[in-house]
């Protein structure tokens, strides 16, 4: 199935064509970061307007880059949630129009499931490198989820952040430090020359399992809002350090986020007997996180699979590839497709 994927859930307008394999035939991404950066974060209305403006051209370029005609497409796949309502609507409307005009099937894809599936986008990934069960982290700007993957088609959610996502925590922390949006890469850059152990920040242990949804374990869940508050007070109380030790503060803050992610992943991996550690999503671009995961996988005798850096942040190749692999939900009447801004993770193939 040659699939056109469309992604507009947040601040990237993206379209891609993927063939079985998966073979990514084209992957066009328009980042809106310059539009949102002056505001210090994503402004939903600006995101929707920018999607409307650029999506038609992005779609044309995706088909052209793949060296195909529109009629060569076998199906259309679109992110229907979770995400910003106004932003999702733009991609979904375009997908509906294309499915109706081309008379092709339309499937919806869950954005976080697509991030999870992006693990399999590594062209060099030998099939036997992914030994199941896999303990997988999906860490993005909007979500932090810990999953058990039992096959390329079936997963269960074991834990998640109860407040801020890891990427959100980095973005908000960066803002407090006076760094531009998005904060994750900025903190990574600044932290390169810093000492991660000079200042210690809390790692946010979740102790109250009474409030957790069924199936979630406290030691597989995250809480990042306290970390952000600790940074706020630290910066308020140590203005001198902000001037002369910002790289050390950034490194310490990043270290707290990454340590929480790695520690929970290993806890879950031990419990489920995972043979592979995996990580996907925008924060998985972070080189310190990638190195820590590589090290801990080696230390614990497990394989590791990390989404290739180019497919970590939002893109449509992961949407199309997820659909090619059967992770999409068929839409019976494309004229009646809705959006799901808070679409929960339910597990596939269960
Ligand atoms: O997956 P993504 O593009 O969008 C969502 O689905 O949310 O993730 C965006 C997040 C942002 O919070 C951004 O700061 C973070 O990924 N990010 C990084 C890095 N690159 C992007 N965080 C840490 N280190 C990076 N190099
Ligand atoms: Zn995303």
């Amino acid at each position: 199935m040659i699939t056109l994927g469309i992604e507009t859930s947040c601040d990237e307008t993206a379209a891609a064509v993927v063939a079985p394999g998966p073979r990514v035939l084209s992957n066009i991404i328009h980042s809106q970061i310059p539009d949102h950066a002056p505001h210090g974060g994503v402004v939903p209305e600006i995101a929707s307007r920018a999607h409307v403006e650029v999506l038609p051209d992005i779609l044309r370029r995706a088909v052209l880059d793949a060296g195909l005609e529109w009629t060569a497409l076998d199906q259309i796949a679109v992110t229907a949630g979770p995400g910003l309502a106004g932003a999702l609507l733009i991609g979904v409307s375009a997908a509906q129009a294309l499915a109706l005009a081309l008379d092709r099937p339309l499937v919806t894809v869950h954005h976080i499931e697509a991030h999870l599936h992006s693990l399999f986008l590594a062209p060099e990934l030998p099939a036997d490198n992914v030994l199941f069960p896999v303990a997988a982290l999906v860490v993005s700007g909007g979500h932090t989820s810990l999953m058990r993957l039992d096959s390329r088609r079936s997963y269960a959610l074991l834990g998640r952040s109860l407040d801020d996502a890891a990427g959100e925590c980095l973005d908000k922390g960066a803002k407090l430090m006076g760094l531009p949006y998005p904060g994750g890469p900025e903190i990574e850059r600044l932290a390169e020359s810093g000492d991660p152990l000079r200042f210690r920040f809390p790692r946010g242990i979740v102790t109250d399992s009474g409030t957790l949804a069924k199936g979630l374990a406290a030691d597989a869940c995250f809480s990042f809002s306290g970390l952000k508050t600790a940074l706020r007070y630290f910066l308020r109380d140590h203005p001198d350090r902000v001037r002369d030790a910002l790289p050390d503060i950034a490194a310490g803050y990043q270290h707290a986020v990454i340590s929480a992610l790695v520690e929970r992943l290993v806890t879950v991996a031990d419990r489920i007997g995972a043979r592979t550690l995996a990580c996907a999503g925008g924060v998985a671009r972070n080189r310190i996180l990638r190195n820590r995961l590589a090290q801990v996988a080696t230390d614990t005798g497990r394989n590791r699979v990390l989404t290739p850096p180019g497919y970590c942040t939002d893109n449509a190749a992961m949407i199309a590839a997820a659909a090619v692999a059967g992770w999409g939900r068929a839409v019976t009447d494309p004229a009646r497709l809705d959006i799901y801004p808070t679409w929960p993770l339910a597990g596939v193939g269960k």
Side-chain angles (χ1 to χ4, degrees):
M1 289 283 251
I2 294 183
T3 301
L4 172 69
I6 302 174
E7 160 61 43
T8 65
S9 67
C10 191
D11 60 345
E12 266 90 20
T13 316
V17 178
V18 175
R23 269 191 315 129
V24 179
L25 304 182
S26 66
N27 184 29
I28 311 291
I29 305 170
H30 170 83
S31 168
Q32 299 178 5
I33 287 174
D35 303 326
H36 299 284
H39 306 278
V42 177
V43 181
E45 181 60 25
I46 292 179
S48 309
R49 285 169 190 250
H51 287 313
V52 171
E53 276 170 27
V54 304
L55 184 56
D57 189 46
I58 297 292
L59 288 165
R60 268 192 293 274
R61 283 170 55 197
V63 176
L64 199 68
D65 250 40
L68 300 173
E69 301 286 334
W70 290 95
T71 48
L73 302 174
D74 295 316
Q75 69 173 347
I76 313 295
V78 64
T79 306
L84 301 170
L88 288 167
L89 265 177
I90 312 303
V92 163
S93 305
Q96 287 177 294
L98 282 172
L100 289 167
L102 298 169
D103 193 21
R104 294 292 189 274
L106 176 59
V107 301
T108 58
V109 174
H110 189 292
H111 183 81
I112 303 302
E113 288 179 0
H115 272 303
L116 181 60
H117 186 78
S118 70
L119 291 169
F120 303 112
L121 274 172
E124 71 287 0
L125 185 69
D128 58 5
N129 205 15
V130 193
L131 300 174
F132 296 100
V134 176
L137 257 177
V138 176
V139 266
S140 70
H143 292 79
T144 303
S145 312
L146 242 174
M147 287 108 147
R148 172 198 171 110
L149 205 49
D150 290 304
S151 71
R152 288 194 177 216
R153 275 284 287 132
S154 90
Y155 74 87
L157 179 67
L158 302 179
R160 62 180 169 79
S161 176
L162 304 183
D163 39 60
D164 292 350
E168 187 181 2
C169 175
L170 291 169
D171 293 340
K172 287 178 174 172
K175 199 171 179 179
L176 291 171
M177 286 184 255
L179 303 173
Y181 178 84
E186 294 295 329
I187 289 184
E188 179 176 23
R189 229 183 323 275
L190 195 59
E192 270 168 23
S193 57
D195 173 2
L197 302 180
R198 180 170 172 201
F199 304 117
R200 305 259 177 183
F201 291 99
R203 290 175 197 181
I205 307 293
V206 175
T207 48
D208 179 13
S209 51
T211 54
L212 295 178
K214 199 164 161 275
L216 301 190
D219 61 0
C221 288
F222 306 88
S223 171
F224 287 114
S225 63
L227 171 56
K228 177 194 62 197
T229 309
L231 177 67
R232 182 190 298 278
Y233 290 139
F234 182 91
L235 296 174
R236 185 196 63 187
D237 297 342
H238 302 91
D240 49 323
R241 297 258 164 89
V242 176
R243 275 190 303 276
D244 63 25
L246 203 55
D248 293 339
I249 299 172
Y253 189 74
Q254 175 178 265
H255 181 70
V257 173
I258 289 176
S259 298
L261 295 172
V262 175
E263 282 163 20
R264 306 287 200 289
L265 180 66
V266 172
T267 301
V268 163
D270 286 345
R271 188 160 58 233
I272 66 173
R275 299 166 73 200
T276 304
L277 301 181
C279 189
V283 180
R285 269 190 96 107
N286 186 286
R287 285 186 304 267
I288 304 285
L289 175 60
R290 296 178 84 85
N291 291 342
R292 286 272 301 270
L293 290 171
Q295 188 61 54
V296 82
T298 306
D299 291 348
T300 60
R302 295 182 168 104
N303 283 9
R304 72 167 190 281
V305 181
L306 309 175
T307 296
Y311 296 124
C312 284
T313 44
D314 287 349
N315 64 88
M318 69 181 190
I319 305 300
V324 168
W327 288 58
R329 275 87 168 167
V331 176
T332 37
D333 180 359
R336 291 183 172 277
L337 176 55
D338 211 345
I339 54 161
Y340 309 96
T342 58
W343 196 353
L345 280 164
V348 172
K350 305 227 81 165

